[in-house]
Amino acid sequence: GKKCKVYSENSVHLKDETDTSDKANEPDYVVPDISIVCDRSKIKDDGIHGAPDLIVEILSKSTAIHDIIRKKDLYEQLGVREYWIVSPFDKSVTVYLLKNGKYVQDKVYYDVADRPDITMDTEKYPPYITTSLYGDDLKIYLKDVFFDLID
């Protein structure tokens, strides 16, 4: 019942059509693993133009540094309100929120469902992720995010 739309591996254009600057080392677009866009006017035939409301990147060994540093900086500059970094290596999700134009780490969520050796305070470390877009209306359980993960 929300107006937001979810995209998987869709182009997010970093410059608008009127930008004629030639920044040598800056890409024209990136392709996040998942994007959520609530302002549908940003959705065009060739991808998303402007900042999605939320972007999720899933780390791999070959892209981890790029996602954690370079893409995080790009998304911050673009004005993406919320950025999640999903790490299958330690079954964690790090959530950054944009505050005053800068990312602030909001929370790190850990999936410890299959780790009986670890007990965590579920108040401090809930078994699900919420988003600033929907608050408690949307709960994404970590056990579902990391379900059937191949090591």
Side-chain angles (χ1 to χ4, degrees), residues 58-62 64 86-92 146 149 151:
I58 301 165
L59 300 181
S60 70
K61 289 180 181 171
S62 63
V86 177
S87 173
F89 313 116
D90 64 358
K91 294 185 177 182
S92 71
F146 298 107
L149 185 66
D151 293 327

Side-chain angles (χ1 to χ4, degrees), residues 37-55:
V37 179
C38 298
D39 177 357
R40 293 194 178 204
S41 71
K42 295 178 180 181
I43 303 164
K44 311 286 185 209
D45 289 339
D46 64 341
I48 300 162
H49 289 260
D53 294 274
L54 186 147
I55 287 181

Side-chain angles (χ1 to χ4, degrees), residues 19-105:
D19 188 355
T20 58
S21 64
D22 183 30
K23 299 174 183 163
N25 292 326
E26 293 202 15
D28 291 333
Y29 69 92
V30 290
V31 182
D33 294 318
I34 299 170
S35 302
I36 297 178
V37 179
C38 298
D39 177 357
R40 293 194 178 204
S41 71
K42 295 178 180 181
I43 303 164
K44 311 286 185 209
D45 289 339
D46 64 341
I48 300 162
H49 289 260
D53 294 274
L54 186 147
I55 287 181
V56 178
E57 292 287 2
I58 301 165
L59 300 181
S60 70
K61 289 180 181 171
S62 63
T63 66
I65 297 299
H66 185 69
D67 291 342
I68 292 169
I69 297 172
R70 182 73 176 127
K71 279 189 169 180
K72 181 175 162 257
D73 289 345
L74 285 171
Y75 299 152
E76 182 180 77
Q77 291 170 16
L78 187 61
V80 175
R81 290 176 26 203
E82 191 166 337
Y83 178 44
W84 296 7
I85 299 175
V86 177
S87 173
F89 313 116
D90 64 358
K91 294 185 177 182
S92 71
V93 179
T94 304
V95 174
Y96 293 93
L97 299 178
L98 194 66
K99 295 188 179 183
N100 298 319
K102 295 287 181 192
Y103 276 136
V104 175
Q105 183 176 305

Side-chain angles (χ1 to χ4, degrees), residues 4-28:
C4 303
K5 194 161 166 74
V6 178
Y7 292 92
S8 175
E9 297 184 349
N10 201 345
S11 299
V12 172
H13 296 267
L14 301 171
K15 301 173 187 170
D16 65 28
E17 296 85 21
T18 61
D19 188 355
T20 58
S21 64
D22 183 30
K23 299 174 183 163
N25 292 326
E26 293 202 15
D28 291 333

